[in-house]
Amino acid sequence: MGRIDNRVTVITGGASGIGEATARKFVKEGARVVISDIQDEQGQKLAKELGENVTYIHADVCLEDNVKGMIEHAVETYGRLDCIVNNAGMGGVKGEIESVPIEGFDQTITILLRGVFLGMKHAAPLMKKQGGGNIINISSVAGLRGISQNHPYSAAKAAVIQLTRTAAMELAYYKIRVNSICPGSIVTSIFGAASGMSSSESVKTYENLIHLFEKGQPLRRAGLPEDVANAALWLASDESSFVTGHALVVDGGVSAGQQWTAQMRWIDMIESTLGLDPSE
Ligand SMILES: NC(=O)c1ccc[n+]([C@@H]2O[C@H](COP(=O)([O-])OP(=O)(O)OC[C@H]3O[C@@H](n4cnc5c(N)ncnc54)[C@H](O)[C@@H]3O)[C@@H](O)[C@H]2O)c1
């Protein structure tokens, strides 16, 4: 028996990275899954590999008719909708605030924020009718902390956390739980994509990313898509049935505080500025 047997789950951006790992994990735990994405070849290949309980549909999360069609496809195929993981995303336009082009700002906000909003907008009515459901929105630690030169991405991810809370307040009455996940640095093709690489090309950079990310947080190993998929599985299962409106951080400790060595360096700098001997 799986932890989410027969639960019908839609995963946006499910063709690669965190979405792909979530699809794999959910199928293993008994779910029936609709993978949606704009990378059709990759999404179709994954759906075929995962077997009879998985289908693929093209859906650009920026477009309301695509999102509506994606939800209708889940119901036509499996008869219901138990869970949606609003995961589709990209790195977003970066740069100093005065250099950010407004088109890039709008595009980042549209994919990362409107995409999540549309997923909830079209999933909620069905879940209400069915008497319950589960919504999981992928935010980021960038939504919890300000990250320099990452303005629209950080702002959109912070808004996803708040949208999760407002929806959780409204939908709790209907037994619909709404939570977000805030991953730290996770080895996926999002980093390569930011430099114009396709998902398959990005895979070649994973070894380098793993070495880099091993040093990036208090837990000295790289964050992997499966780490986020495990958190999504817990939120989708009955094990978290008293949890809603929560932002679940999966970041190896990076947002918990300052590491001891960095803290000690800072204290040394303060003491030497004050003319004190840090060793006393
Ligand atoms: N990798 C990280 O370090 C990290 C950290 C924090 C948050 N996140 C978030 O996790 C989510 C998944 O990212 P990932 O790291 O797995 O990257 P990824 O590039 O491997 O996967 C993102 C997927 O979203 C799809 N996508 C992009 N635009 C879309 C659109 N308009 N409509 C539908 N699908 C679209 C892509 O085709 C891709 O398959 C994103 O929301 C991202 O912001 C990632």
Side-chain angles (χ1 to χ4, degrees), residues 13 15-19 37-39 59-62 87-90 111-112 138-140 153 157 183-186 188-191:
S16 99
I18 290 168
D37 208 294
I38 49 175
Q39 298 197 74
D60 181 337
V61 295
C62 304
N87 161 77
M90 35 73 101
I111 295 177
L112 296 177
I138 305 300
S139 176
S140 168
Y153 185 89
K157 291 299 190 183
S185 295
I186 307 292
T188 71
S189 50
I190 202 168
F191 299 97

mmCIF file of all heavy atoms in Angstrom, residues 13 15-19 37-39 59-62 87-90 111-112 138-140 153 157 183-186 188-191, ligand 1:
data_model
loop_
_atom_site.group_PDB
_atom_site.id
_atom_site.type_symbol
_atom_site.label_atom_id
_atom_site.label_comp_id
_atom_site.label_asym_id
_atom_site.label_seq_id
_atom_site.Cartn_x
_atom_site.Cartn_y
_atom_site.Cartn_z
ATOM 1 N N GLY A 13 4.940 21.969 -14.476
ATOM 2 C CA GLY A 13 6.404 21.945 -14.611
ATOM 3 C C GLY A 13 6.952 20.582 -14.221
ATOM 4 O O GLY A 13 8.037 20.475 -13.651
ATOM 5 N N ALA A 15 8.000 18.087 -16.041
ATOM 6 C CA ALA A 15 8.885 17.359 -16.973
ATOM 7 C C ALA A 15 10.327 17.301 -16.497
ATOM 8 O O ALA A 15 11.110 16.504 -17.006
ATOM 9 C CB ALA A 15 8.828 18.008 -18.356
ATOM 10 N N SER A 16 10.703 18.154 -15.536
ATOM 11 C CA SER A 16 12.108 18.126 -15.112
ATOM 12 C C SER A 16 12.235 18.538 -13.642
ATOM 13 O O SER A 16 11.285 19.006 -13.021
ATOM 14 C CB SER A 16 12.952 19.028 -16.028
ATOM 15 O OG SER A 16 13.192 20.279 -15.462
ATOM 16 N N GLY A 17 13.425 18.317 -13.095
ATOM 17 C CA GLY A 17 13.785 18.812 -11.768
ATOM 18 C C GLY A 17 12.866 18.363 -10.641
ATOM 19 O O GLY A 17 12.532 17.185 -10.503
ATOM 20 N N ILE A 18 12.439 19.332 -9.842
ATOM 21 C CA ILE A 18 11.622 19.062 -8.654
ATOM 22 C C ILE A 18 10.273 18.441 -9.066
ATOM 23 O O ILE A 18 9.781 17.507 -8.418
ATOM 24 C CB ILE A 18 11.410 20.378 -7.864
ATOM 25 C CG1 ILE A 18 12.737 20.808 -7.219
ATOM 26 C CG2 ILE A 18 10.311 20.220 -6.817
ATOM 27 C CD1 ILE A 18 12.741 22.220 -6.650
ATOM 28 N N GLY A 19 9.687 18.941 -10.157
ATOM 29 C CA GLY A 19 8.416 18.395 -10.634
ATOM 30 C C GLY A 19 8.551 16.942 -11.052
ATOM 31 O O GLY A 19 7.702 16.100 -10.715
ATOM 32 N N ASP A 37 3.489 20.583 -18.618
ATOM 33 C CA ASP A 37 4.726 21.356 -18.837
ATOM 34 C C ASP A 37 4.634 22.001 -20.206
ATOM 35 O O ASP A 37 3.624 21.837 -20.915
ATOM 36 C CB ASP A 37 5.961 20.425 -18.756
ATOM 37 C CG ASP A 37 7.220 21.147 -18.302
ATOM 38 O OD1 ASP A 37 7.697 22.014 -19.060
ATOM 39 O OD2 ASP A 37 7.737 20.858 -17.201
ATOM 40 N N ILE A 38 5.687 22.745 -20.566
ATOM 41 C CA ILE A 38 5.777 23.247 -21.941
ATOM 42 C C ILE A 38 6.882 22.509 -22.697
ATOM 43 O O ILE A 38 7.048 22.711 -23.885
ATOM 44 C CB ILE A 38 6.015 24.780 -21.971
ATOM 45 C CG1 ILE A 38 7.160 25.173 -21.031
ATOM 46 C CG2 ILE A 38 4.742 25.516 -21.590
ATOM 47 C CD1 ILE A 38 7.535 26.646 -21.099
ATOM 48 N N GLN A 39 7.633 21.676 -22.014
ATOM 49 C CA GLN A 39 8.647 20.828 -22.670
ATOM 50 C C GLN A 39 7.965 19.489 -23.013
ATOM 51 O O GLN A 39 8.048 18.524 -22.240
ATOM 52 C CB GLN A 39 9.817 20.567 -21.735
ATOM 53 C CG GLN A 39 10.580 21.811 -21.321
ATOM 54 C CD GLN A 39 11.943 21.473 -20.742
ATOM 55 O OE1 GLN A 39 12.862 21.114 -21.446
ATOM 56 N NE2 GLN A 39 12.056 21.571 -19.424
ATOM 57 N N ALA A 59 0.679 22.416 -20.926
ATOM 58 C CA ALA A 59 -0.034 23.547 -20.309
ATOM 59 C C ALA A 59 0.974 24.612 -19.900
ATOM 60 O O ALA A 59 1.860 24.358 -19.080
ATOM 61 C CB ALA A 59 -0.843 23.089 -19.093
ATOM 62 N N ASP A 60 0.823 25.780 -20.496
ATOM 63 C CA ASP A 60 1.627 26.940 -20.091
ATOM 64 C C ASP A 60 0.885 27.589 -18.924
ATOM 65 O O ASP A 60 -0.254 28.058 -19.098
ATOM 66 C CB ASP A 60 1.747 27.901 -21.281
ATOM 67 C CG ASP A 60 2.601 29.123 -20.952
ATOM 68 O OD1 ASP A 60 2.739 29.469 -19.764
ATOM 69 O OD2 ASP A 60 3.119 29.739 -21.906
ATOM 70 N N VAL A 61 1.516 27.631 -17.758
ATOM 71 C CA VAL A 61 0.796 28.099 -16.556
ATOM 72 C C VAL A 61 0.461 29.590 -16.603
ATOM 73 O O VAL A 61 -0.293 30.082 -15.770
ATOM 74 C CB VAL A 61 1.566 27.786 -15.248
ATOM 75 C CG1 VAL A 61 1.673 26.297 -15.023
ATOM 76 C CG2 VAL A 61 2.938 28.464 -15.219
ATOM 77 N N CYS A 62 1.031 30.296 -17.576
ATOM 78 C CA CYS A 62 0.708 31.724 -17.705
ATOM 79 C C CYS A 62 -0.656 31.938 -18.352
ATOM 80 O O CYS A 62 -1.220 33.025 -18.265
ATOM 81 C CB CYS A 62 1.743 32.429 -18.575
ATOM 82 S SG CYS A 62 3.410 32.239 -17.989
ATOM 83 N N ASN A 87 4.193 23.998 -9.401
ATOM 84 C CA ASN A 87 5.648 23.942 -9.315
ATOM 85 C C ASN A 87 6.364 24.660 -10.458
ATOM 86 O O ASN A 87 7.509 25.077 -10.305
ATOM 87 C CB ASN A 87 6.040 22.448 -9.285
ATOM 88 C CG ASN A 87 7.471 22.210 -9.649
ATOM 89 O OD1 ASN A 87 8.375 22.427 -8.839
ATOM 90 N ND2 ASN A 87 7.716 21.775 -10.886
ATOM 91 N N ALA A 88 5.692 24.824 -11.603
ATOM 92 C CA ALA A 88 6.378 25.355 -12.792
ATOM 93 C C ALA A 88 7.092 26.662 -12.469
ATOM 94 O O ALA A 88 6.566 27.507 -11.745
ATOM 95 C CB ALA A 88 5.363 25.590 -13.917
ATOM 96 N N GLY A 89 8.290 26.805 -13.011
ATOM 97 C CA GLY A 89 9.014 28.036 -12.722
ATOM 98 C C GLY A 89 10.287 28.159 -13.518
ATOM 99 O O GLY A 89 10.666 27.271 -14.275
ATOM 100 N N MET A 90 10.949 29.287 -13.330
ATOM 101 C CA MET A 90 12.239 29.572 -13.967
ATOM 102 C C MET A 90 12.987 30.552 -13.067
ATOM 103 O O MET A 90 12.450 31.020 -12.068
ATOM 104 C CB MET A 90 12.049 30.136 -15.380
ATOM 105 C CG MET A 90 10.861 31.007 -15.585
ATOM 106 S SD MET A 90 10.996 32.635 -14.848
ATOM 107 C CE MET A 90 11.396 33.609 -16.269
ATOM 108 N N ILE A 111 4.885 33.938 -14.657
ATOM 109 C CA ILE A 111 5.107 32.488 -14.519
ATOM 110 C C ILE A 111 5.027 32.073 -13.046
ATOM 111 O O ILE A 111 4.321 31.124 -12.693
ATOM 112 C CB ILE A 111 6.474 32.076 -15.113
ATOM 113 C CG1 ILE A 111 6.489 32.321 -16.621
ATOM 114 C CG2 ILE A 111 6.787 30.607 -14.798
ATOM 115 C CD1 ILE A 111 7.810 32.022 -17.303
ATOM 116 N N LEU A 112 5.722 32.812 -12.200
ATOM 117 C CA LEU A 112 5.886 32.335 -10.817
ATOM 118 C C LEU A 112 4.695 32.634 -9.910
ATOM 119 O O LEU A 112 4.422 31.875 -8.978
ATOM 120 C CB LEU A 112 7.158 32.940 -10.197
ATOM 121 C CG LEU A 112 8.472 32.535 -10.866
ATOM 122 C CD1 LEU A 112 9.645 33.258 -10.214
ATOM 123 C CD2 LEU A 112 8.693 31.025 -10.803
ATOM 124 N N ILE A 138 5.005 25.639 -4.846
ATOM 125 C CA ILE A 138 6.460 25.680 -4.663
ATOM 126 C C ILE A 138 6.924 27.140 -4.649
ATOM 127 O O ILE A 138 6.867 27.843 -5.661
ATOM 128 C CB ILE A 138 7.200 24.873 -5.765
ATOM 129 C CG1 ILE A 138 6.675 23.423 -5.814
ATOM 130 C CG2 ILE A 138 8.704 24.894 -5.491
ATOM 131 C CD1 ILE A 138 6.830 22.608 -4.536
ATOM 132 N N SER A 139 7.365 27.574 -3.479
ATOM 133 C CA SER A 139 7.937 28.909 -3.321
ATOM 134 C C SER A 139 9.458 28.752 -3.312
ATOM 135 O O SER A 139 10.019 27.982 -4.102
ATOM 136 C CB SER A 139 7.409 29.544 -2.033
ATOM 137 O OG SER A 139 8.016 30.787 -1.817
ATOM 138 N N SER A 140 10.145 29.410 -2.381
ATOM 139 C CA SER A 140 11.619 29.359 -2.338
ATOM 140 C C SER A 140 12.092 30.049 -1.062
ATOM 141 O O SER A 140 11.374 30.907 -0.519
ATOM 142 C CB SER A 140 12.174 30.112 -3.554
ATOM 143 O OG SER A 140 13.561 30.323 -3.426
ATOM 144 N N TYR A 153 11.994 37.638 -8.856
ATOM 145 C CA TYR A 153 11.907 36.244 -8.391
ATOM 146 C C TYR A 153 11.583 36.213 -6.898
ATOM 147 O O TYR A 153 10.643 35.532 -6.460
ATOM 148 C CB TYR A 153 13.229 35.511 -8.663
ATOM 149 C CG TYR A 153 13.208 34.034 -8.324
ATOM 150 C CD1 TYR A 153 12.809 33.095 -9.275
ATOM 151 C CD2 TYR A 153 13.572 33.571 -7.060
ATOM 152 C CE1 TYR A 153 12.780 31.737 -8.973
ATOM 153 C CE2 TYR A 153 13.544 32.220 -6.746
ATOM 154 C CZ TYR A 153 13.154 31.305 -7.706
ATOM 155 O OH TYR A 153 13.118 29.960 -7.401
ATOM 156 N N LYS A 157 8.089 34.903 -5.171
ATOM 157 C CA LYS A 157 8.101 33.759 -4.250
ATOM 158 C C LYS A 157 7.537 34.148 -2.873
ATOM 159 O O LYS A 157 6.878 33.342 -2.210
ATOM 160 C CB LYS A 157 9.516 33.185 -4.131
ATOM 161 C CG LYS A 157 10.013 32.501 -5.413
ATOM 162 C CD LYS A 157 9.141 31.314 -5.802
ATOM 163 C CE LYS A 157 9.742 30.479 -6.917
ATOM 164 N NZ LYS A 157 8.868 29.374 -7.325
ATOM 165 N N PRO A 183 12.182 25.638 -1.049
ATOM 166 C CA PRO A 183 13.469 24.958 -1.209
ATOM 167 C C PRO A 183 14.628 25.955 -1.157
ATOM 168 O O PRO A 183 14.478 27.120 -1.529
ATOM 169 C CB PRO A 183 13.380 24.331 -2.606
ATOM 170 C CG PRO A 183 11.948 24.474 -3.049
ATOM 171 C CD PRO A 183 11.412 25.660 -2.309
ATOM 172 N N GLY A 184 15.785 25.454 -0.683
ATOM 173 C CA GLY A 184 17.032 26.229 -0.816
ATOM 174 C C GLY A 184 17.632 25.891 -2.172
ATOM 175 O O GLY A 184 16.907 25.705 -3.146
ATOM 176 N N SER A 185 18.969 25.797 -2.247
ATOM 177 C CA SER A 185 19.608 25.477 -3.532
ATOM 178 C C SER A 185 19.466 23.991 -3.820
ATOM 179 O O SER A 185 19.945 23.150 -3.057
ATOM 180 C CB SER A 185 21.094 25.840 -3.478
ATOM 181 O OG SER A 185 21.223 27.223 -3.339
ATOM 182 N N ILE A 186 18.814 23.687 -4.925
ATOM 183 C CA ILE A 186 18.531 22.297 -5.313
ATOM 184 C C ILE A 186 19.126 22.079 -6.707
ATOM 185 O O ILE A 186 18.915 22.907 -7.602
ATOM 186 C CB ILE A 186 17.004 22.039 -5.362
ATOM 187 C CG1 ILE A 186 16.310 22.445 -4.042
ATOM 188 C CG2 ILE A 186 16.703 20.586 -5.722
ATOM 189 C CD1 ILE A 186 16.637 21.621 -2.824
ATOM 190 N N THR A 188 19.121 21.284 -10.087
ATOM 191 C CA THR A 188 18.177 21.033 -11.195
ATOM 192 C C THR A 188 18.644 21.848 -12.403
ATOM 193 O O THR A 188 19.605 22.628 -12.313
ATOM 194 C CB THR A 188 16.736 21.480 -10.860
ATOM 195 O OG1 THR A 188 16.694 22.916 -10.846
ATOM 196 C CG2 THR A 188 16.233 20.916 -9.558
ATOM 197 N N SER A 189 17.881 21.732 -13.482
ATOM 198 C CA SER A 189 18.259 22.451 -14.698
ATOM 199 C C SER A 189 17.857 23.921 -14.665
ATOM 200 O O SER A 189 18.100 24.635 -15.630
ATOM 201 C CB SER A 189 17.669 21.759 -15.922
ATOM 202 O OG SER A 189 16.310 21.530 -15.739
ATOM 203 N N ILE A 190 17.273 24.384 -13.575
ATOM 204 C CA ILE A 190 16.865 25.797 -13.515
ATOM 205 C C ILE A 190 18.085 26.715 -13.662
ATOM 206 O O ILE A 190 17.990 27.798 -14.235
ATOM 207 C CB ILE A 190 16.080 26.095 -12.204
ATOM 208 C CG1 ILE A 190 15.210 27.344 -12.385
ATOM 209 C CG2 ILE A 190 16.993 26.216 -10.999
ATOM 210 C CD1 ILE A 190 14.187 27.556 -11.282
ATOM 211 N N PHE A 191 19.245 26.228 -13.163
ATOM 212 C CA PHE A 191 20.445 27.084 -13.224
ATOM 213 C C PHE A 191 20.991 27.145 -14.651
ATOM 214 O O PHE A 191 21.353 28.203 -15.142
ATOM 215 C CB PHE A 191 21.498 26.576 -12.227
ATOM 216 C CG PHE A 191 20.983 26.625 -10.815
ATOM 217 C CD1 PHE A 191 20.447 25.489 -10.212
ATOM 218 C CD2 PHE A 191 20.976 27.809 -10.105
ATOM 219 C CE1 PHE A 191 19.927 25.542 -8.930
ATOM 220 C CE2 PHE A 191 20.461 27.872 -8.821
ATOM 221 C CZ PHE A 191 19.926 26.730 -8.226
HETATM 222 N N1 LIG B 1 16.296 24.459 -8.024
HETATM 223 C C1 LIG B 1 16.314 25.312 -6.999
HETATM 224 O O1 LIG B 1 17.375 25.598 -6.401
HETATM 225 C C2 LIG B 1 15.016 25.931 -6.535
HETATM 226 C C3 LIG B 1 15.028 26.616 -5.316
HETATM 227 C C4 LIG B 1 13.870 27.209 -4.856
HETATM 228 C C5 LIG B 1 12.697 27.101 -5.589
HETATM 229 N N2 LIG B 1 12.699 26.440 -6.777
HETATM 230 C C6 LIG B 1 11.441 26.368 -7.526
HETATM 231 O O2 LIG B 1 11.127 25.024 -7.846
HETATM 232 C C7 LIG B 1 10.300 24.993 -9.003
HETATM 233 C C8 LIG B 1 10.821 23.951 -9.971
HETATM 234 O O3 LIG B 1 12.092 24.352 -10.468
HETATM 235 P P1 LIG B 1 13.283 23.327 -10.771
HETATM 236 O O4 LIG B 1 14.437 23.755 -9.967
HETATM 237 O O5 LIG B 1 12.816 21.938 -10.701
HETATM 238 O O6 LIG B 1 13.639 23.775 -12.278
HETATM 239 P P2 LIG B 1 13.496 23.006 -13.664
HETATM 240 O O7 LIG B 1 13.938 23.988 -14.691
HETATM 241 O O8 LIG B 1 14.177 21.688 -13.621
HETATM 242 O O9 LIG B 1 11.920 22.744 -13.785
HETATM 243 C C9 LIG B 1 11.001 23.751 -14.041
HETATM 244 C C10 LIG B 1 9.969 23.217 -15.026
HETATM 245 O O10 LIG B 1 8.971 24.245 -15.213
HETATM 246 C C11 LIG B 1 8.657 24.263 -16.594
HETATM 247 N N3 LIG B 1 8.101 25.566 -16.967
HETATM 248 C C12 LIG B 1 8.741 26.742 -17.095
HETATM 249 N N4 LIG B 1 7.888 27.692 -17.492
HETATM 250 C C13 LIG B 1 6.675 27.104 -17.591
HETATM 251 C C14 LIG B 1 5.392 27.573 -17.961
HETATM 252 N N5 LIG B 1 5.183 28.854 -18.307
HETATM 253 N N6 LIG B 1 4.354 26.705 -17.954
HETATM 254 C C15 LIG B 1 4.560 25.406 -17.616
HETATM 255 N N7 LIG B 1 5.753 24.903 -17.271
HETATM 256 C C16 LIG B 1 6.795 25.750 -17.272
HETATM 257 C C17 LIG B 1 9.967 23.982 -17.301
HETATM 258 O O11 LIG B 1 9.775 23.560 -18.638
HETATM 259 C C18 LIG B 1 10.576 22.916 -16.408
HETATM 260 O O12 LIG B 1 10.244 21.615 -16.816
HETATM 261 C C19 LIG B 1 10.288 26.419 -9.560
HETATM 262 O O13 LIG B 1 9.090 27.066 -9.170
HETATM 263 C C20 LIG B 1 11.475 27.067 -8.881
HETATM 264 O O14 LIG B 1 11.358 28.462 -8.774
HETATM 265 C C21 LIG B 1 13.836 25.842 -7.268
#
